[in-house]
């Protein structure tokens, strides 16, 4: 029995990629939906007043687009590498503009540890792609 488990490296690697995709894709999808729900009342004023991000409506709309479309694509395992890049950059900007001031780990506020965790997952998915259990693998016969 032990040999069976230890000889399943490819299976566990692909299951790990699937779990990472489901987690990070679902997380970004949730963040994007919450930004749509509070676009005018919270996020747009926050982007404008607190963060001073240039072109706040366009910037926020792009963030929402990549969080929702990228989140769904990553969950499905479709164009995973393509969507990890803008999501990584969004997390980098969020870390440098919002979370860095909270320190590394400051519950109940997010510190920049959450950004580093998300960026690490995105880097793994960029490095290894979506794995066998993905739409990309079915359509393009890729790993």
């Amino acid at each position: 029995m032990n040999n069976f488990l230890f000889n399943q490296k490819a299976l566990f690697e692909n299951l790990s990629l699937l779990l990472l995709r489901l987690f990070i894709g679902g997380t970004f999808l949730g963040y994007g939906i919450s930004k749509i729900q509070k676009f005018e009342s919270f996020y747009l004023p926050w982007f404008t007043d607190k963060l001073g991000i240039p072109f706040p409506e366009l910037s926020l709309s792009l963030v929402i687009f990549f969080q929702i479309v990228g989140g769904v694509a990553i969950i499905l395992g479709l164009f995973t590498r393509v969507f990890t890049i803008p999501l990584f950059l969004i997390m980098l900007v969020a870390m440098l503009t919002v979370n860095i001031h909270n320190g590394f780990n400051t519950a109940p506020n997010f510190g920049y540890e959450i950004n580093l965790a998300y960026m690490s997952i995105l880097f793994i998915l960029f490095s290894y792609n979506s794995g066998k259990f993905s739409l990309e693998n079915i359509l393009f016969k890729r790993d």
Side-chain angles (χ1 to χ4, degrees):
M1 181 68 173
N2 284 342
N3 282 340
F4 173 76
L5 287 177
F6 290 113
N7 289 329
Q8 302 302 315
K9 183 180 178 203
L11 174 64
F12 287 123
E13 285 175 358
N14 285 295
L15 282 174
S16 297
L17 291 171
L18 173 63
L19 290 174
L20 288 173
R21 283 191 1 252
L22 293 175
F23 170 74
I24 201 72
T27 299
F28 280 116
L29 178 59
Y31 284 156
I33 290 170
S34 75
K35 284 180 179 70
I36 287 176
Q37 292 170 339
K38 298 176 184 175
F39 187 91
E40 294 280 336
S41 65
F42 179 75
Y43 285 102
L44 189 56
W46 192 52
F47 265 51
T48 304
D49 301 332
K50 185 166 179 156
L51 300 178
I53 291 179
F55 310 106
E57 274 191 55
L58 176 63
S59 299
L60 181 55
S61 297
L62 287 171
V63 167
I64 291 169
F65 171 81
F66 283 112
Q67 287 183 333
I68 291 177
V69 175
V72 170
I74 288 174
I75 288 169
L76 297 173
L78 188 61
F79 305 115
T80 300
R81 281 190 171 138
V82 171
F83 283 106
T84 59
I85 296 167
L87 291 172
F88 186 95
L89 293 173
I90 289 167
M91 284 295 96
L92 181 63
V93 170
M95 181 177 74
L96 296 175
T97 60
V98 178
N99 301 101
I100 199 87
H101 307 293
N102 293 335
F104 180 74
N105 184 359
T106 56
N109 297 324
F110 286 123
Y112 60 89
E113 84 285 352
I114 197 76
N115 304 100
L116 292 175
Y118 293 162
M119 290 164 61
S120 297
I121 292 169
L122 291 166
F123 184 78
I124 290 167
L125 291 174
F126 180 82
S127 299
Y128 289 93
N129 210 355
S130 53
K132 284 191 186 258
F133 306 122
S134 66
L135 197 53
E136 206 167 272
N137 186 51
I138 292 167
L139 295 174
F140 307 116
K141 302 294 183 216
R142 293 184 191 163
D143 285 334

